Amino acid sequence: METHVDYAADGRALLEKVNLKLEGAPDEYDDANPIYCHPASGAKLFVGNACIACCRKELDSMCISRIVFCQDGGTDGDGSMTFEDDPSFVYLHFPIGRWRDSRHSLRRREDGISFWEEGEFHGSVTRNLESTKSFFEPLFNFIDAELRRGSNVLITRIRPWRGLGEGG
């Protein structure tokens, strides 16, 4: 017996669960879309692409000044933190595409749990649940603290068509 799943209804139910209303929801291919609204502060978590992350006018229109930069950045990387010298912006550099690189690190803790040190992750992200949690801890801590303060947060990736990307 084949069961019919109404994915559109399930999606609407999910948005309601994360405290986002559907009325006036953005189009499918916007540069940024909200995925969560903090129940106490009302601050929103957005996922978006590099186009929005580089446009002060667009960021201001969404009241976004906190950005999770998921690209490599730097002279050998992709993208840049356009407003990093502007004190009204706060960035978390979280190059999520490099998660596999850390497994080659020779640094290990005695308990086998992977860890962050001086901006670099050491160990396998997928080794165990604690290592996975350890990898994402800076991301979750940044987002949680900023949303609690009432600041909207944007998670950004370079490719416009992959705005959600791994970070979202």
Side-chain angles (χ1 to χ4, degrees), residues 20 30 52 57 70 72 115 152 165:
L20 290 172
D30 283 350
I52 188 98
K57 181 180 174 187
C70 292
D72 289 346
F115 63 99
N152 290 343

Side-chain angles (χ1 to χ4, degrees), residues 137-154:
E137 187 174 21
L139 175 69
F140 295 148
N141 288 345
F142 178 83
I143 291 170
D144 185 54
E146 295 302 335
L147 291 176
R148 285 179 189 272
R149 284 187 192 104
S151 300
N152 290 343
V153 177
L154 171 69

Side-chain angles (χ1 to χ4, degrees), residues 100-142:
R100 286 183 185 96
D101 296 352
S102 61
R103 69 177 181 242
H104 302 295
S105 168
L106 299 177
R107 309 230 18 219
R108 299 282 187 255
R109 283 183 13 181
E110 287 182 23
D111 59 10
I113 297 173
S114 302
F115 63 99
W116 284 96
E117 185 176 75
E118 297 180 15
E120 297 213 5
F121 192 74
H122 301 279
S124 172
V125 174
T126 60
R127 171 175 298 185
N128 53 44
L129 181 59
E130 291 305 314
S131 292
T132 304
K133 286 180 182 178
S134 179
F135 179 76
F136 285 103
E137 187 174 21
L139 175 69
F140 295 148
N141 288 345
F142 178 83

